[in-house]
């Protein structure tokens, strides 16, 4: 069956630094979604990627879908304390989906 | 922000009690889901429904049951609560986007359940 890995599991970042988190699937995907869950909150949809090699930006967040549509990355520049939370990818295979285990991001001032 | 509601938000209950966690959405979404999540950990799908009178078990085995009698309502029931059921339960809903064969999930605020 489909396996979805998110790397790293934990990310400690100094405020102002950049970092990247990755989502890797064992199978080709139809699309991928990213969600963010603040501490004590619930997951909130961020973005969806559908096309091979697609890149989308939301302010300081850059999302990329791999050429083979098996992996995705989320890059955050100039990290702020508001970026704290867990980022989940959701890997979709034409109707079936699986969430990754998430990358928990801690930001130190 | 999506219109999906969960009650109660917090529940502390003794072992052996029967409980029902409520979830309602006002968006007319066909698909609804229940997830179990320990703090800061991954989301485990325990039940889902693709419409009225349709319910399926998710990836994680759960002793809970669900029903879908109305589109907007998807309650989860535990017949006999145990300490191992202590967790956060998140409800979500989505509507299919025919253009891209995918759907965005909108999550409720969750119910934090503690079983003593």
């Amino acid at each position: 069956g489909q396996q979805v890995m998110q790397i790293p599991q934990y990310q400690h970042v100094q405020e102002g630094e950049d970092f990247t988190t990755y989502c890797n699937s064992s199978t080709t995907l139809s699309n991928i979604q990213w969600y963010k869950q603040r501490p004590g909150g619930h997951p909130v949809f961020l973005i969806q990627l559908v096309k091979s090699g697609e890149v989308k930006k939301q302010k300081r967040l850059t999302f990329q879908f791999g050429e083979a549509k098996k992996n995705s990355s989320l890059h955050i520049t100039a990290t702020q304390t508001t970026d704290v939370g867990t980022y989940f990818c959701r890997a979709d295979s034409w109707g079936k989906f699986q969430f990754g285990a998430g990358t928990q991001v801690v930001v130190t001032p | 922000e999506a219109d999906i509601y969960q009650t109660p938000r917090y529940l502390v209950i003794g072992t052996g009690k029967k409980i029902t966690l409520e979830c309602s959405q006002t968006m007319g979404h066909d698909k609804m889901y229940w997830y179990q999540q320990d703090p800061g950990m991954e989301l485990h799908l325990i039940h889902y429904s693709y419409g009225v009178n349709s319910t399926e078990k998710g990836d994680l085995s759960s002793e809970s049951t669900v029903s879908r009698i109305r589109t907007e309502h998807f309650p989860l029931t535990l017949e006999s609560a145990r300490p191992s059921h202590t967790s956060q339960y998140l409800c979500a809903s989505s509507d299919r986007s025919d253009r891209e064969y995918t759907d965005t999930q909108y999550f409720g605020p969750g119910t934090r359940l503690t079983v003593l």
Side-chain angles (χ1 to χ4, degrees):
Chain A
Q2 179 187 37
Q3 293 186 1
V4 180
M5 295 279 294
Q6 278 193 256
I7 304 165
Q9 187 177 358
Y10 300 99
Q11 179 78 58
H12 290 256
V13 192
Q14 198 86 24
E15 194 173 9
E17 290 184 341
D18 303 351
F19 77 91
T20 304
T21 178
Y22 300 89
C23 178
N24 300 318
S25 170
S26 58
T27 60
T28 303
L29 305 173
S30 54
N31 56 278
I32 199 160
Q33 296 182 354
W34 286 90
Y35 292 74
K36 177 184 178 182
Q37 184 176 22
R38 295 182 185 274
H42 58 276
V44 175
F45 172 78
L46 292 177
I47 210 156
Q48 175 174 277
L49 304 168
V50 179
K51 300 175 184 174
S52 169
E54 187 171 14
V55 178
K56 287 187 176 179
K57 293 191 176 184
Q58 286 182 352
K59 297 181 181 178
R60 295 177 294 101
L61 277 61
T62 301
F63 303 83
Q64 187 166 4
F65 203 5
E67 293 290 341
K69 298 184 73 173
K70 294 178 75 172
N71 52 64
S72 179
S73 64
L74 159 57
H75 180 78
I76 300 182
T77 58
T79 305
Q80 299 178 359
T81 54
T82 53
D83 297 322
V84 164
T86 302
Y87 293 81
F88 293 97
C89 65
R90 195 188 90 168
D92 289 24
S93 292
W94 293 275
K96 294 186 177 181
F97 67 86
Q98 185 172 343
F99 277 95
T103 292
Q104 196 169 331
V105 176
V106 175
V107 181
T108 50
Chain B
E1 199 67 21
D3 297 322
I4 180 163
Y5 310 97
Q6 290 187 244
T7 57
R9 294 291 311 278
Y10 303 90
L11 180 61
V12 180
I13 203 161
T15 297
K17 298 292 186 183
K18 178 180 178 179
I19 59 169
T20 296
L21 307 184
E22 302 288 349
C23 175
S24 295
Q25 49 95 6
T26 58
M27 298 169 285
H29 286 170
D30 288 328
K31 299 179 183 178
M32 296 189 75
Y33 311 84
W34 275 104
Y35 293 88
Q36 185 175 342
Q37 184 189 38
D38 292 327
M41 303 299 283
E42 59 189 296
L43 296 157
H44 293 288
L45 180 67
I46 51 176
H47 297 283
Y48 63 95
S49 167
Y50 283 175
V52 171
N53 294 324
S54 154
T55 61
E56 300 287 345
K57 289 187 180 294
D59 304 322
L60 181 69
S61 175
S62 174
E63 294 165 344
S64 58
T65 59
V66 292
S67 63
R68 189 88 184 274
I69 299 172
R70 303 198 314 266
T71 298
E72 63 271 21
H73 196 212
F74 191 40
L76 180 145
T77 299
L78 274 167
E79 290 293 332
S80 180
R82 295 208 299 268
S84 60
H85 295 138
T86 295
S87 188
Q88 173 167 253
Y89 293 83
L90 289 160
C91 180
S93 73
S94 68
D95 198 9
R96 175 175 169 155
S97 169
D98 289 329
R99 187 179 56 166
E100 293 176 337
Y101 295 96
T102 186
D103 57 327
T104 299
Q105 289 190 356
Y106 297 92
F107 285 82
T111 294
R112 291 190 184 274
L113 173 66
T114 302
V115 184
L116 304 175

